[in-house]
Amino acid sequence: MQQLRLEPIHRVQGTVNVPGSKSLSNRALLLAALANGTTTLTNLLDSDDIRHMLEALTLLGVSYQLSEDKTQCTVIGNNGVFNTDGNIELFLGNAGTAMRPLCAALAASHGEYVLTGEPRMEERPIGALVDALSQVGADIDYLKSNGYPPLHIKGKSLSGGKIQVDGSVSSQFLTAVLMAAPLFSSDSEIEIVGELVSKPYIDITLDTMAKFGIDVENQDYQRFKIVGNQTYQSPGTFLVEGDASSASYFLAAGAIKGGVVKVTGVGAKSIQGDIKFADVLEAMGAKVTWGDDFIEVTGAPLRAIDMDMNHIPDAAMTIATTALFATGTTKMTNIYNWRVKETDRLAAMATELRKLGADVNEGHDFIEVTPPSQLKEAAIDTYNDHRVAMCFSLVALSDTAVVINDPGCTAKTFPDYFERFASISE
Ligand SMILES: O=C(O)C1=C[C@@H](OP(=O)(O)O)[C@@H](O)[C@H](O)C1
Ligand SMILES: C=C(OP(=O)(O)O)C(=O)O
């Protein structure tokens, strides 16, 4: 296993243009593939999650041209659902944004598919999505455990109608049904059961669908109405915003040890809910300046906060390590679904924060972090979770070095994260 030792960083300063958003890249690729017309995506993210979507599209017969640096992709739309022969097996790594939306789109396509992934993907739930799609006639079987990938899908025309979606574990199930619903043969009315988690990701979905010509009636995130038998229309070009979750590490570094740190490519006009991470830093005492296409943070003494972080599940992990630099006990609540992501993130964060000497209280759906007076040097296990690796890099902003085990796991969403982090470190 590789290890990366980060020596104490005395100051951070500079500008980082963050790579494209994972959530937008994979949504736009799928809709471009289903659309009528050719779409050129720019600022596409080049990372494992996007590679899995691209490889799946290749196997589904979609033609596209990827630039040498893999950040521009011209996709020739299929003008509707996929039509394939034989049994096609798609390996989707640990990419939720590939597994869930493709499951729904393929259930409504013509062909037979097996969807697989990394071992952890087989522990990430998908039953709520399969149950929702079954209500409109989908034919999906579990190949190993009920409720989890791998899946066998016999694609067929799906009817539309009334669909109940349990939104309490992942918003990606609703996203998947929403993106497939225009392909159903008649109109759909989706009703949410349970409390919808990670709600801002639904705004990303609806906004991307609108850019591809499909409007959804959103009744307060409780009910959604979508006209059936429609075709996505290519917008011609689609600019992928910078990734707001990836921005969180640099913004936090600025708050902890700035100097001034500016991220570009994402700003006040972003559709991504994770820009609200900057508001959390502000509530902790940092100075935040917003532009349409940038966010800038200046460091200041930080104080602990007590906050519901359900709306920013990914960027919230960055607060768990930022808490090491804040006076008092930081409490982050309503984050149960950290447990069903790349790893059980509540358990992983608690274990690794304790190695540094922090006092941690881990609950079913919350975590409380109290920093020690002096951090201990530790080797941080990353559990094949890119965000664990990235958020613990912040420890080097103390006067204690930190070792990150398996730093290459950032490839899921941010392959050159550590080089970018070094570029603002002095
Ligand atoms: O729709 C999306 O692009 C995502 C939704 C969120 O997942 P949940 O809805 O499962 O919380 C988020 O954690 C994930 O990284 C990306
Ligand atoms: C939860 C995440 O990924 P996924 O899209 O696989 O759910 C994440 O990137 O933090």
Side-chain angles (χ1 to χ4, degrees), residues 60 69 237 252:
L60 293 169
D69 70 358
T237 56

Side-chain angles (χ1 to χ4, degrees), residues 370-405:
T370 312
S373 50
Q374 174 67 45
L375 289 170
K376 288 193 248 179
E377 190 174 324
I380 300 299
D381 287 317
T382 51
Y383 309 85
N384 205 18
D385 185 341
H386 54 141
R387 296 199 196 285
V388 175
M390 294 190 280
C391 71
F392 275 92
S393 65
L394 299 178
V395 174
L397 301 170
S398 69
D399 52 13
T400 304
V402 64
V403 174
I404 307 289
N405 289 339

Side-chain angles (χ1 to χ4, degrees), residues 47 73 276 340 349 377:
S47 80
C73 189
K276 290 243 157 56
V340 294
M349 293 304 286
E377 190 174 324

Side-chain angles (χ1 to χ4, degrees), residues 137-172:
D139 186 342
I140 305 175
D141 291 320
Y142 300 111
L143 292 172
K144 286 192 179 165
S145 305
N146 267 353
Y148 297 87
L151 304 175
H152 176 247
I153 301 173
K154 272 195 202 145
K156 57 196 267 237
S157 169
L158 300 183
S159 61
K162 286 200 191 300
I163 311 170
Q164 290 196 322
V165 181
D166 184 340
S168 62
V169 169
S170 170
S171 68
Q172 291 179 4

Side-chain angles (χ1 to χ4, degrees), residues 22-23 27 97 169-172 175 198 201 313-314 337 341:
K22 168 197 76 171
S23 295
R27 282 168 173 75
T97 55
V169 169
S170 170
S171 68
Q172 291 179 4
T175 281
S198 309
Y201 286 94
D314 294 355
N337 77 354
K341 296 184 186 269

Side-chain angles (χ1 to χ4, degrees), residues 22-23 26 49 94-98 100 121 124 170 172 201 243 245 249 313-315 317 337 340-342 345 385-387 412-413:
K22 168 197 76 171
S23 295
N26 271 354
D49 277 10
N94 196 5
T97 55
R100 279 76 180 254
M121 186 56 107
R124 297 185 66 187
S170 170
Q172 291 179 4
Y201 286 94
D243 193 297
S245 321
Y249 312 104
D314 294 355
M317 284 174 77
N337 77 354
V340 294
K341 296 184 186 269
E342 280 75 338
R345 288 176 164 173
D385 185 341
H386 54 141
R387 296 199 196 285
K412 185 174 192 283
T413 56

Side-chain angles (χ1 to χ4, degrees), residues 22-23 27 95-101 121 123-130 132 147 164-178 190 192-202 205 224 310 313-314 334-342:
K22 168 197 76 171
S23 295
R27 282 168 173 75
T97 55
M99 176 62 79
R100 279 76 180 254
M121 186 56 107
E123 297 171 349
R124 297 185 66 187
I126 198 162
L129 173 58
V130 172
Q164 290 196 322
V165 181
D166 184 340
S168 62
V169 169
S170 170
S171 68
Q172 291 179 4
F173 305 146
L174 173 59
T175 281
V177 177
L178 284 167
I190 300 168
I192 304 304
V193 291
E195 193 204 336
L196 177 62
V197 295
S198 309
K199 214 183 261 176
Y201 286 94
I202 299 308
T205 302
F224 299 84
N310 193 277
D314 294 355
N334 202 6
I335 49 172
Y336 166 76
N337 77 354
W338 275 22
R339 294 195 185 278
V340 294
K341 296 184 186 269
E342 280 75 338

